[in-house]
Amino acid sequence: MTIRVAIAGARGRMGSTAAAAITEAPDMVFAGALDYKYDGWYINGGTLIEQPSGVRVYTSIAELAEAEKPDVLLDLTDPEAVFPNAQKAIALGIRPVIGTSGLTLEEIDHLKIMSEQKGLSCILAPNFSIGAVLMMKFAAQAAHYLGDVEIIEMHHDRKLDAPSGTAVKTADMISDVRTPHLQGHPDEQVNAYGARGADVQGMKIHSVRLPGLLAHQQVLLGGEGELLTIRHDSFDRKSFMPGVLLAVRESVSHHQFVNGLEQLI
Amino acid sequence: MTIRVAIAGARGRMGSTAAAAITEAPDMVFAGALDYKYDGWYINGGTLIEQPSGVRVYTSIAELAEAEKPDVLLDLTDPEAVFPNAQKAIALGIRPVIGTSGLTLEEIDHLKIMSEQKGLSCILAPNFSIGAVLMMKFAAQAAHYLGDVEIIEMHHDRKLDAPSGTAVKTADMISDVRTPHLQGHPDEQVNAYGARGADVQGMKIHSVRLPGLLAHQQVLLGGEGELLTIRHDSFDRKSFMPGVLLAVRESVSHHQFVNGLEQLI
Amino acid sequence: MTIRVAIAGARGRMGSTAAAAITEAPDMVFAGALDYKYDGWYINGGTLIEQPSGVRVYTSIAELAEAEKPDVLLDLTDPEAVFPNAQKAIALGIRPVIGTSGLTLEEIDHLKIMSEQKGLSCILAPNFSIGAVLMMKFAAQAAHYLGDVEIIEMHHDRKLDAPSGTAVKTADMISDVRTPHLQGHPDEQVNAYGARGADVQGMKIHSVRLPGLLAHQQVLLGGEGELLTIRHDSFDRKSFMPGVLLAVRESVSHHQFVNGLEQLI
Amino acid sequence: MTIRVAIAGARGRMGSTAAAAITEAPDMVFAGALDYKYDGWYINGGTLIEQPSGVRVYTSIAELAEAEKPDVLLDLTDPEAVFPNAQKAIALGIRPVIGTSGLTLEEIDHLKIMSEQKGLSCILAPNFSIGAVLMMKFAAQAAHYLGDVEIIEMHHDRKLDAPSGTAVKTADMISDVRTPHLQGHPDEQVNAYGARGADVQGMKIHSVRLPGLLAHQQVLLGGEGELLTIRHDSFDRKSFMPGVLLAVRESVSHHQFVNGLEQLI
């Protein structure tokens, strides 16, 4: 069976990479583009054109649904657009696969209820990197045995916020499973403000920002006489594509709300 | 319930560390030492003495069994001693926990059959490092998604053999689960013999030997635009003790042959 | 003073990046492009156009010299083109800055003689990465104290040759200064062909090739109880631009042959 | 010529390792031990004994000087003892080699003046690790080209203070040579207190503390599209011995105050 995929945000950097990946996947079709403008234009090989050749752009999801019969709406826009898009999609029987962070807890709950009432999957995957998800899962599993954990995340110096969302999520996932305890020396003496990093769920997170860096994270788990390090390096947004394709494929065989790619791996 | 543990090899470096760890464990008792000499002497706080104070040394496992009623025989000797020790232990109803590599496949099969006929656990754990076992398990799980793998293991330059047993075991565990495929460029041109490492199960293993190093391994898993690295550093033999205690504890609740600590984690 | 720079190979990936860097540099002018075709066309903002706007393309270095009066010829073509270009440049009083490996020893000697007879600098810089050059220099300095060295170089799996030129050059630079001695255990037993890497100048080089990797090298120097690691990661060809600009600037204040960016740092 | 070395603190962990190293060095003699007690006892193979065999212990440096004629006093005690010891040593014509941090700036100035008035070397080397000194020197050299720097230092969780002295010293050495500038994004938004580490001389220092770790530091230097990392791992106090022997040897050929092993490398 071929999965018909509509994409919201297909003109963006992430969206155009995803459009190419879906076009190349043998079991998928890029069936239509949802946009806030350019209604009736076409996307052809990554370029927006006026001639009717390629994949049509719609500004109305209802029209897109009727004309193109998509199974899935892959939404790579921003938190403001994502929530109304997903609501309408579910109502129209289209499975949302949402690749954006920033939804409020209320919005997430609302989509969960809609998804489960309708028996239609809705996948929330703010991080499509399978490698990053594996890092987080492994770290959580390892913390069962090696309960002292610190996280070093390293990004280019154009990144505005610290710590990264992935680092905080990693700490949360570890915190869910490890036995709570105090780390470090109780009488620790910090002579320069901030040297020991940020405390998140009892773990320390250190955020490095340098030109030249891309996106890297390592989780360090220490035990008596040993250290386990799980490190993920993202060099290119192509690394997200296997996760995008996985989420799209899984969406048609699930019938409920799925919060995080880690639920599918 | 307290687990009564006899130790073979208690005078060795690993054995004396294990004896101390078992003595400190609240749910275990160091019940007797099996040795090839010093019958009737005692081990007291790590020292061998003639006075009857501490844990008694036996050269006969039958006498040890009768006098001390051990539940488990932790065997940290060498491959030659381990096999007869384990046979006798099983016959006497004592569960072997074997921390030595080097048993032949025939010997392993033999112990497996004895263990299962008797309904008594026998645990073979050539690597007691929980951290190393986690590294291997995670690498095998990750290879399902990121199938291109290379292994770099690094040890002090007094290590004679290369590649390390852990590196080969890691490649074997990955090979058991990943889809076979060719790695690297098919037209690769190697201009200096050995540059691309050893091929083990289609993966490359690189062995570094330098003074200063202890025991380190990293598994690199590459995908389009990303790299996942799982690294384990062993700094001290104390790092094996959680694995020793885990194996001893698990041995009393299992009733079959267990090949590898990874079966228990 | 403004340095007038002609570029050979300005339409290539490296060349176009260099053209942009030179155009942006406040003390340089991109004065002309040397090519084997497109004579009389123009390069304008990285694009080749027929209209006379931007930097003119010449197929004759003599014409380029007469019309544009360049101080320097930055040559980013291939070994075949580089040698005749450099000979003609020196004869015309233009300083070659050559960013290609692959010249023969005879060709290098010939350029050296021409350069010194003319009292005009000629800079051969097969690796423009200042970071990589620093890594090599530091490794060589450190080997004076920590003489046991292994090199791990890691590249994407589209790279055909192993070991990398930088790794071999690093071993050569270390070999020039360290006291010769045998590394590793003399009775080492290698159980899988290639595990210990390639022997280059008595050092081991290990070449890792994985999808996802870009260009990375680490030099490990071990001593009793310690390890010094010098690592360089290249993520983008922009990292070569500071080295290109440095070489161009240095070329106008030198009057002899310079073999390697490391002579200028 | 054989260098006669007296040691203060020879019963400590560092001191006994140093005593063994000096005893083994072909060009040195362990000539006497300075202590605050055990006058007239002897140190023999690392053990304190009452019988007159081995190296004699003195509580008076004057008596030690007269009886044993040491060329050098290697002082591995604490800041309180070091200063009076060094003053007396210089007055007696013995060259102090001081392996302790914690002297005040006034005390350092005082020793500098005494040393230079007397024309007798006095070496202050709070860090005897040649590898660590190389890391600091290389980082400072590299910062000339790659001016954005962050430091990650990692130690076992029994270490009380953060950041480490070596990390702060590294930042100081870099700061002495690099062009001052702001690092990181000016509009950085830190959502968890401390995530971005401590600011020392405009660089960020991150201190990791975990069981299992020993003593590690990496200096990361970023540039457009590249990263240079200089890392030092200390696994054992034996790693300090080459630095101890170097300082002792250099002390007899110098005639002034030397502040830091980096002045001798």
Side-chain angles (χ1 to χ4, degrees):
Chain A
M1 198 205 85
T2 300
I3 308 172
R4 298 184 60 79
V5 185
I7 302 179
R11 289 184 294 116
R13 291 195 303 177
M14 183 75 171
S16 56
T17 311
I22 282 166
T23 303
E24 278 176 34
D27 57 341
M28 297 183 196
V29 163
F30 176 18
L34 182 64
D35 211 317
Y36 69 97
K37 55 183 179 179
Y38 295 114
D39 189 62
W41 289 47
Y42 285 78
I43 290 176
N44 192 317
T47 309
L48 190 73
I49 58 174
E50 288 193 78
Q51 297 88 328
S53 165
V55 176
R56 194 186 186 282
V57 178
Y58 296 83
T59 53
S60 154
I61 188 170
E63 285 178 33
L64 191 164
E66 192 175 324
E68 310 290 359
K69 311 282 185 234
D71 301 299
V72 175
L73 173 68
L74 174 64
D75 198 325
L76 302 167
T77 59
D78 50 75
E80 287 73 45
V82 149
F83 183 60
N85 283 350
Q87 284 182 297
K88 290 177 201 162
I90 296 175
L92 291 160
I94 309 171
R95 300 153 188 87
V97 170
I98 302 170
T100 315
S101 58
L103 286 177
T104 66
L105 289 179
E106 289 71 28
E107 289 169 339
I108 292 173
D109 272 347
H110 192 82
L111 292 179
K112 188 174 195 294
I113 291 168
M114 281 190 73
S115 159
E116 295 188 354
Q117 281 178 342
K118 190 93 175 186
L120 195 78
S121 77
C122 174
I123 296 179
L124 187 59
N127 189 341
F128 274 123
S129 166
I130 291 178
V133 167
L134 290 172
M135 171 182 61
M136 289 187 270
K137 286 190 72 142
F138 294 159
Q141 287 175 40
H144 185 66
Y145 298 98
L146 298 163
D148 290 83
V149 185
E150 301 210 6
I151 298 169
I152 304 171
E153 54 95 347
M154 313 199 300
H155 287 83
H156 51 82
D157 62 356
R158 298 179 303 283
K159 183 171 175 63
L160 268 176
D161 58 315
S164 72
T166 298
V168 172
K169 169 115 193 193
T170 305
D172 287 343
M173 284 177 64
I174 292 171
S175 174
D176 287 347
V177 298
R178 78 164 180 172
T179 312
H181 71 292
L182 278 180
Q183 283 191 195
H185 200 296
D187 300 328
E188 190 166 76
Q189 187 183 331
V190 179
N191 301 316
Y193 170 97
R196 288 287 286 114
D199 191 294
V200 175
Q201 305 279 12
M203 281 156 267
K204 298 296 189 183
I205 299 182
H206 310 270
S207 301
V208 176
R209 298 289 177 271
L210 283 173
L213 289 172
L214 301 167
H216 320 262
Q217 180 175 305
Q218 48 191 314
V219 187
L220 290 84
L221 302 109
E224 182 73 36
E226 69 181 322
L227 184 72
L228 182 70
T229 306
I230 304 170
R231 176 175 176 140
H232 184 251
D233 297 276
S234 278
F235 299 122
D236 192 295
R237 103 176 49 88
K238 281 181 199 157
S239 66
F240 298 123
M241 294 309 115
V244 166
L245 299 183
L246 175 76
V248 168
R249 278 182 196 118
E250 293 286 326
S251 76
V252 296
S253 60
H254 281 72
H255 305 279
Q256 73 279 47
F257 189 76
V258 175
N259 193 349
L261 198 64
E262 62 273 22
Q263 308 299 330
L264 303 173
I265 285 176
Chain B
M1 198 204 87
T2 300
I3 308 173
R4 298 184 60 79
V5 185
I7 303 179
R11 288 184 295 117
R13 289 195 304 179
M14 184 73 171
S16 56
T17 310
I22 282 166
T23 302
E24 277 176 35
D27 57 340
M28 297 184 195
V29 164
F30 177 16
L34 182 64
D35 212 316
Y36 69 97
K37 55 183 180 179
Y38 296 114
D39 190 61
W41 288 48
Y42 285 79
I43 289 176
N44 192 317
T47 310
L48 190 73
I49 58 174
E50 288 193 78
Q51 297 88 327
S53 165
V55 175
R56 194 186 186 282
V57 178
Y58 297 83
T59 52
S60 155
I61 188 171
E63 285 179 34
L64 193 165
E66 193 176 324
E68 309 290 357
K69 312 281 186 233
D71 301 299
V72 175
L73 173 67
L74 175 64
D75 198 326
L76 303 166
T77 59
D78 50 75
E80 285 75 44
V82 148
F83 183 59
N85 283 349
Q87 282 182 298
K88 290 177 202 162
I90 296 174
L92 290 161
I94 307 171
R95 300 153 188 88
V97 171
I98 302 171
T100 314
S101 58
L103 285 177
T104 65
L105 289 179
E106 287 72 27
E107 288 170 339
I108 291 174
D109 272 348
H110 192 83
L111 291 180
K112 188 173 195 298
I113 291 167
M114 281 191 72
S115 160
E116 293 185 357
Q117 281 178 341
K118 189 92 176 187
L120 194 79
S121 77
C122 175
I123 297 179
L124 187 59
N127 189 341
F128 275 123
S129 165
I130 292 179
V133 168
L134 289 172
M135 172 183 59
M136 289 188 269
K137 287 190 73 142
F138 294 158
Q141 287 176 41
H144 184 67
Y145 299 98
L146 299 162
D148 290 84
V149 185
E150 301 210 6
I151 299 170
I152 304 172
E153 54 95 347
M154 314 200 299
H155 287 83
H156 51 81
D157 61 357
R158 299 178 304 282
K159 184 171 174 64
L160 268 176
D161 58 314
S164 72
T166 298
V168 173
K169 168 114 193 194
T170 305
D172 287 343
M173 284 177 63
I174 291 170
S175 174
D176 286 347
V177 297
R178 77 165 180 171
T179 311
H181 71 293
L182 278 179
Q183 282 191 196
H185 201 296
D187 301 328
E188 190 166 76
Q189 187 183 332
V190 178
N191 301 316
Y193 170 100
R196 287 287 286 115
D199 192 293
V200 176
Q201 306 279 11
M203 280 155 266
K204 298 295 191 185
I205 299 182
H206 309 271
S207 301
V208 176
R209 298 290 177 267
L210 283 174
L213 289 171
L214 301 168
H216 320 262
Q217 180 176 306
Q218 47 191 314
V219 186
L220 290 84
L221 301 110
E224 182 74 38
E226 69 181 322
L227 184 72
L228 182 69
T229 306
I230 304 170
R231 175 175 178 140
H232 184 251
D233 297 276
S234 278
F235 299 121
D236 191 296
R237 114 176 37 92
K238 280 181 200 156
S239 66
F240 299 122
M241 294 309 115
V244 167
L245 300 183
L246 175 76
V248 168
R249 278 183 196 116
E250 293 286 327
S251 76
V252 297
S253 60
H254 281 70
H255 305 280
Q256 72 280 46
F257 188 76
V258 175
N259 193 348
L261 197 64
E262 63 273 21
Q263 308 300 330
L264 303 173
I265 285 176
Chain C
M1 196 204 87
T2 300
I3 308 172
R4 299 184 59 80
V5 184
I7 303 179
R11 288 184 296 115
R13 290 197 303 179
M14 184 73 171
S16 57
T17 310
I22 282 165
T23 303
E24 278 175 34
D27 57 341
M28 297 183 196
V29 163
F30 176 17
L34 182 64
D35 211 317
Y36 70 97
K37 55 183 179 181
Y38 296 114
D39 190 62
W41 289 47
Y42 285 78
I43 290 176
N44 191 318
T47 310
L48 190 74
I49 58 175
E50 289 193 76
Q51 299 87 330
S53 164
V55 175
R56 194 183 186 284
V57 178
Y58 296 83
T59 53
S60 153
I61 188 171
E63 287 179 32
L64 193 163
E66 192 174 325
E68 310 291 357
K69 313 281 185 232
D71 302 297
V72 175
L73 172 68
L74 174 64
D75 198 326
L76 302 166
T77 59
D78 49 75
E80 285 75 45
V82 148
F83 183 60
N85 283 349
Q87 284 181 296
K88 290 176 201 160
I90 295 174
L92 291 159
I94 308 170
R95 301 153 187 88
V97 170
I98 302 172
T100 314
S101 57
L103 284 177
T104 66
L105 290 179
E106 288 71 28
E107 288 169 340
I108 292 174
D109 271 348
H110 192 83
L111 291 180
K112 187 173 195 296
I113 291 167
M114 281 190 72
S115 159
E116 293 184 359
Q117 282 178 341
K118 190 93 177 188
L120 194 79
S121 77
C122 174
I123 296 179
L124 187 59
N127 189 341
F128 275 123
S129 166
I130 292 179
V133 167
L134 289 172
M135 172 181 59
M136 290 187 270
K137 286 191 73 143
F138 295 159
Q141 286 175 40
H144 183 67
Y145 299 96
L146 299 162
D148 289 84
V149 185
E150 301 209 5
I151 299 169
I152 304 172
E153 54 95 346
M154 314 200 298
H155 287 83
H156 51 81
D157 61 357
R158 297 178 306 281
K159 183 170 174 64
L160 269 176
D161 58 315
S164 72
T166 298
V168 172
K169 168 114 192 194
T170 305
D172 287 343
M173 284 177 63
I174 291 170
S175 174
D176 286 347
V177 297
R178 77 165 180 171
T179 312
H181 70 294
L182 279 180
Q183 283 193 195
H185 200 297
D187 301 327
E188 190 166 76
Q189 186 184 332
V190 178
N191 301 315
Y193 168 99
R196 289 287 286 116
D199 191 293
V200 176
Q201 306 278 12
M203 281 155 265
K204 298 295 189 183
I205 299 182
H206 309 270
S207 301
V208 176
R209 297 289 177 267
L210 283 172
L213 288 172
L214 301 166
H216 319 263
Q217 179 175 306
Q218 45 191 314
V219 186
L220 289 83
L221 302 110
E224 183 73 38
E226 70 180 322
L227 184 72
L228 182 69
T229 306
I230 304 170
R231 174 175 179 141
H232 184 250
D233 297 276
S234 277
F235 299 122
D236 193 293
R237 115 175 36 92
K238 280 180 198 155
S239 65
F240 299 123
M241 293 310 115
V244 167
L245 300 184
L246 175 76
V248 168
R249 278 183 197 117
E250 294 285 326
S251 76
V252 295
S253 59
H254 281 72
H255 304 279
Q256 73 278 47
F257 189 75
V258 175
N259 193 350
L261 198 63
E262 64 272 21
Q263 309 299 332
L264 303 173
I265 285 176
Chain D
M1 197 205 86
T2 300
I3 308 172
R4 300 185 57 80
V5 184
I7 303 179
R11 289 184 294 117
R13 291 196 303 179
M14 185 73 172
S16 56
T17 309
I22 282 166
T23 303
E24 278 176 33
D27 57 342
M28 296 184 197
V29 164
F30 176 15
L34 182 64
D35 211 317
Y36 70 97
K37 55 183 179 180
Y38 296 114
D39 189 62
W41 290 46
Y42 285 79
I43 290 176
N44 191 320
T47 310
L48 190 73
I49 57 174
E50 287 193 79
Q51 298 87 330
S53 164
V55 175
R56 194 184 185 284
V57 178
Y58 296 83
T59 52
S60 155
I61 189 170
E63 286 179 32
L64 193 163
E66 193 175 325
E68 310 289 357
K69 312 280 184 234
D71 301 299
V72 176
L73 172 69
L74 175 63
D75 198 325
L76 302 166
T77 60
D78 49 75
E80 285 75 43
V82 148
F83 183 59
N85 283 349
Q87 284 182 297
K88 290 176 202 162
I90 296 174
L92 290 160
I94 308 170
R95 300 154 187 86
V97 170
I98 303 173
T100 314
S101 58
L103 285 176
T104 65
L105 290 179
E106 288 72 27
E107 289 169 338
I108 292 174
D109 271 348
H110 192 83
L111 292 179
K112 187 173 196 295
I113 291 167
M114 280 190 74
S115 159
E116 295 187 355
Q117 282 178 340
K118 190 93 176 185
L120 194 78
S121 77
C122 174
I123 297 180
L124 186 59
N127 189 341
F128 275 123
S129 165
I130 292 179
V133 167
L134 289 172
M135 171 182 60
M136 290 187 270
K137 285 190 74 142
F138 294 160
Q141 286 175 41
H144 184 67
Y145 299 98
L146 299 161
D148 290 83
V149 185
E150 301 209 5
I151 299 169
I152 304 172
E153 54 94 347
M154 315 199 299
H155 287 83
H156 51 81
D157 61 357
R158 298 179 305 281
K159 184 171 173 62
L160 269 175
D161 58 314
S164 73
T166 299
V168 172
K169 169 114 191 195
T170 306
D172 287 343
M173 284 176 63
I174 292 170
S175 174
D176 285 348
V177 298
R178 78 167 179 170
T179 312
H181 70 294
L182 277 179
Q183 283 193 195
H185 200 297
D187 302 328
E188 190 166 74
Q189 185 183 333
V190 178
N191 302 315
Y193 171 99
R196 288 286 286 114
D199 192 294
V200 175
Q201 305 278 12
M203 282 156 265
K204 298 295 190 183
I205 300 182
H206 310 271
S207 301
V208 176
R209 298 289 178 268
L210 284 173
L213 289 172
L214 301 167
H216 320 263
Q217 179 176 306
Q218 46 191 312
V219 186
L220 290 83
L221 301 111
E224 184 71 38
E226 70 180 321
L227 184 72
L228 181 70
T229 305
I230 304 170
R231 175 175 178 141
H232 185 251
D233 298 275
S234 277
F235 299 123
D236 192 294
R237 109 174 45 88
K238 280 181 200 155
S239 65
F240 299 123
M241 293 310 115
V244 166
L245 299 184
L246 175 75
V248 168
R249 278 184 197 117
E250 294 286 327
S251 76
V252 297
S253 60
H254 282 72
H255 304 279
Q256 72 279 45
F257 189 76
V258 175
N259 193 350
L261 198 63
E262 64 272 20
Q263 308 299 333
L264 303 173
I265 286 176

